Amino acid sequence: MQRGIDLALLGQGKVAPNPLVGAVIVHNDIIIGEGYHQEFGKSHAEVNAIQCVSDKSLLSESTIYVTLEPCAHFGKTPPCADLIVKHRFKRVVIGCIDTFSKVKGKGIAHLEKNGIDVQVGCLENECRELNEHFFTFHEKKRPYVFLKWAQTINGKLDNGDSNGAITWISSPESQTLVHSWRNKYQAILIGRKTVENDNPSLTVRAVTGTNPIRIILDSNLTLISNYSIFNSDSRTLVLNLKKSENKNGIEFIQLEDMRPTSILNALYKLNIISVLIEGGAQTLQSFIDAELWDEAAIITGASTFEKGTDAPEIKTKIKHSFEYFGDTVSMYSKNN
């Protein structure tokens, strides 16, 4: 099962809004096949693992370990539970139940109905953690929310200058770490002021991966089109109070208000299961105050600014922290 988890992680940044899934086939204590869900809309882990087995006659004498309950419904691909039944596996070991309403025990019931021995709960906590974005989306009806910001030792986000030049707080290595985080999230969200102050690209250019969907909060549509977030590097959504339309490749989505609840409801309807919120202070604090977040990371650099924007305040205890190339990275969990 641990091997299945390791395989599943290879799909990070490529399968959302589907879950990360790994599968391992064992015959007489020897792994004869393995696979993982590699890309949204493509073959699931079980299919890829079965295709690895050259002698299919061995499958009826084998156990398949799957990190998540096999699907029992037709989506972009046929049900994996049907495929397992077709090959008459001896046993299926499942990490955790899929709480998505179209599955939720139906895959297990189908396997057992067809005489297959099913064991559920192997490394269950680890398998749940593997897909915390997916489970949050389906169980809480909102995306998984990760907050991130960099601040100085004295708690400033910037130095107060408005000349358009970025004064970096964190090290280049920490900036690369942030890009690796971006690759794990389906979307990234910032407010209008961050666009105007920093003109960010919001890509994963420092690492190999998939650029997240870019979400911009611009209530009155005052941003001009020459900012980097309006290029074609990734899909861009502009949440606003004025209009809904697609124009020049940009998707404008009108909301009734710009409260965190309304924002997350809109993202839920768009089937976005996870979002990394990078700022600025007002946007971050609004999600903290609304208690609509799951995880947070604060990168504290080695510098101090005499003036500037105060960093958000988070009252949850630090889950853990570590030193990273001269910076201190503090991690928080709302459910800690």
Side-chain angles (χ1 to χ4, degrees), residues 3 5-15 20 36-38:
R3 174 61 179 164
I5 292 172
D6 295 341
L7 287 167
L9 286 169
L10 297 175
Q12 264 184 346
K14 302 169 188 172
V15 304
L20 297 164
Y36 66 98
H37 187 25
Q38 299 178 13

Side-chain angles (χ1 to χ4, degrees), residues 281-321:
Q282 183 177 340
T283 300
L284 288 160
Q285 194 66 58
S286 69
F287 281 86
I288 294 170
D289 293 344
E291 297 188 351
L292 288 173
W293 63 282
D294 300 283
E295 194 174 358
I298 301 174
I299 301 174
T300 303
S303 59
T304 59
F305 294 157
E306 292 183 2
K307 59 179 182 177
T309 305
D310 290 332
E313 293 185 13
I314 191 166
K315 297 180 180 179
T316 305
K317 291 182 179 180
I318 295 175
K319 185 177 181 180
H320 69 274
S321 64

Side-chain angles (χ1 to χ4, degrees), residues 12 27 55 63 89 112 127 136 147 155-156 199 283 299 308 316:
Q12 264 184 346
H27 179 265
D55 184 356
T63 296
F89 274 85
E112 292 179 333
C127 289
T136 295
L147 309 177
K156 300 293 183 183
N199 190 23
T283 300
I299 301 174
T316 305

